């Protein structure tokens, strides 16, 4: 996954198990960090429906190369630990089944455990980057935790209650609780986040006084990271120019 940005550091990766809850349960995660000594800002990476698969690991590796400690929690750990679903119709169907088994409280506990793990690794500054389902989780987490910055890649269902993550009230209605800066990246042709929904998101962030930017890429649909059309590659290259600067407050 090329970003057009120079890679600052070699990368070290590992799978980790993180305590979550008070009953001895653990949550798996993929951790990528610069393979040099020092303290680096942390980033929780919210996975897509398909699990912590190669695409999500690539995102973590890219962030680590740019000077972040990136941790992708396995949000399927309660129902299908370490599942990596194929990116086809069958995988999507199974991913939606697993999505509907997640509750808001469970996912917030998972993100809290991931933030705690990054802080224990020495990251004083922690943000979040979320992809699709993980983008929804990133927005939700920003309403509950004191994150520095949140990047939402095409996070859907924020304005409705059709998935358990957005119940009992739509996640967007919690926007006043956000203290982080928010960068929302989406394709203009995204069928999940059409223009009227994008406007609702802009309005909610504006009314809550949240520092934010919403970027809609022309000629691009849902999930433009890691795909192969010229428009998607151009959108991804621009996004990768924005993300590290935004996470670092520039």
């Amino acid at each position: 996954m090329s970003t057009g940005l120079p890679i600052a550091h070699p990368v070290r990766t590992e799978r980790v198990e993180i305590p979550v809850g008070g009953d001895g349960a653990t949550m798996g995660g993929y951790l990528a960090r610069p393979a040099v000594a020092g303290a680096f800002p942390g980033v929780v990476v919210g996975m897509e429906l398909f699990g912590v698969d190669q695409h999500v690991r690539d995102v973590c590796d890219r962030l680590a190369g740019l000077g972040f400690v990136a941790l992708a929690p396995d949000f399927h750990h309660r129902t299908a630990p370490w599942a990596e679903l194929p990116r086809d119709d069958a995988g999507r169907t199974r991913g939606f089944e697993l999505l509907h088994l997640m509750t808001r409280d469970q996912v917030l506990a998972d993100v809290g455990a991931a933030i705690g793990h990054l802080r224990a690794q020495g990251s004083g500054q922690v943000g979040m980057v979320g992809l699709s389902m993980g983008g929804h989780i990133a927005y939700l987490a920003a309403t509950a935790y004191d994150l520095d910055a949140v990047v939402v890649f095409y996070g859907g269902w924020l304005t409705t209650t059709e998935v358990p993550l957005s119940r009992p009230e739509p996640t967007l209605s919690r926007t006043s609780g956000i203290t982080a800066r928010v960068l929302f990246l989406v394709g203009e042709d995204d069928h999940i986040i059409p223009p009227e929904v994008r406007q609702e998101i802009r309005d909610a962030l504006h009314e809550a006084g949240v520092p934010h930017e919403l970027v809609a890429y022309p000629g691009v649909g849902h999930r433009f990271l890691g795909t192969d059309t010229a428009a998607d590659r151009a959108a991804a290259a621009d996004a990768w120019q924005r993300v590290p600067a935004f996470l670092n407050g520039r």
Side-chain angles (χ1 to χ4, degrees):
M1 181 191 302
S2 175
T3 67
L5 296 172
I7 299 302
H9 305 287
V11 173
R12 185 175 77 241
T13 67
E14 61 180 316
R15 291 199 174 194
V16 295
E17 292 289 334
I18 302 165
V20 58
D23 58 0
T26 62
M27 167 180 67
Y30 178 82
L31 183 74
R33 60 171 301 128
V36 293
F40 297 92
V43 183
V44 180
V45 177
M47 70 188 202
E48 295 178 88
L49 291 169
F50 308 100
V52 183
D53 64 0
Q54 188 60 56
H55 174 59
V56 175
R57 296 194 295 270
D58 286 346
V59 170
C60 291
D61 293 352
R62 179 61 57 177
L63 288 166
L66 295 170
F68 299 91
V69 181
L71 172 60
D74 175 19
F75 292 123
H76 290 325
H77 70 95
R78 293 179 181 84
T79 51
W82 290 117
E84 291 190 39
L85 305 175
R87 289 176 175 265
D88 57 19
D89 289 344
R92 189 172 294 104
T93 296
R94 178 58 175 155
F96 274 108
E97 290 172 354
L98 295 175
L99 167 63
H100 280 273
L101 296 176
M102 294 180 185
T103 70
R104 174 177 281 176
D105 288 345
Q106 288 172 339
V107 168
L108 285 175
D110 293 346
V111 175
I115 293 169
H117 189 81
L118 287 168
R119 296 204 188 282
Q121 296 280 310
S123 295
Q125 171 185 315
V126 178
M128 187 163 181
V129 173
L131 315 173
S132 193
M133 178 190 82
H136 186 122
I137 293 171
Y139 197 103
L140 174 63
T143 73
Y145 295 106
D146 187 19
L147 295 163
D148 289 274
V150 170
V151 179
V152 177
F153 278 95
Y154 32 85
W157 315 298
L158 293 173
T159 62
T160 71
T161 57
E162 63 190 286
V163 298
L165 295 176
S166 202
R167 296 177 194 152
E169 74 287 337
T171 295
L172 194 70
S173 70
R174 297 168 54 105
T175 300
S176 62
I178 296 177
T179 57
R181 305 180 306 279
V182 175
L183 174 62
F184 199 108
L185 302 170
V186 62
E188 280 190 355
D189 300 335
D190 193 320
H191 64 288
I192 297 174
I193 313 161
E196 60 273 19
V197 171
R198 298 199 296 270
Q199 191 59 51
E200 285 188 66
I201 294 167
R202 285 191 188 95
D203 290 346
L205 291 165
H206 177 74
E207 289 167 11
V210 176
H212 69 279
E213 184 176 4
L214 191 151
V215 180
Y217 294 104
V220 170
H222 192 69
R223 193 188 169 266
F224 56 79
L225 278 190
T227 50
D228 229 5
T229 71
D232 286 358
R233 289 196 302 271
D238 180 82
W240 274 113
Q241 292 287 335
R242 296 172 186 270
V243 168
F246 191 83
L247 292 172
N248 281 321
R250 297 196 299 271

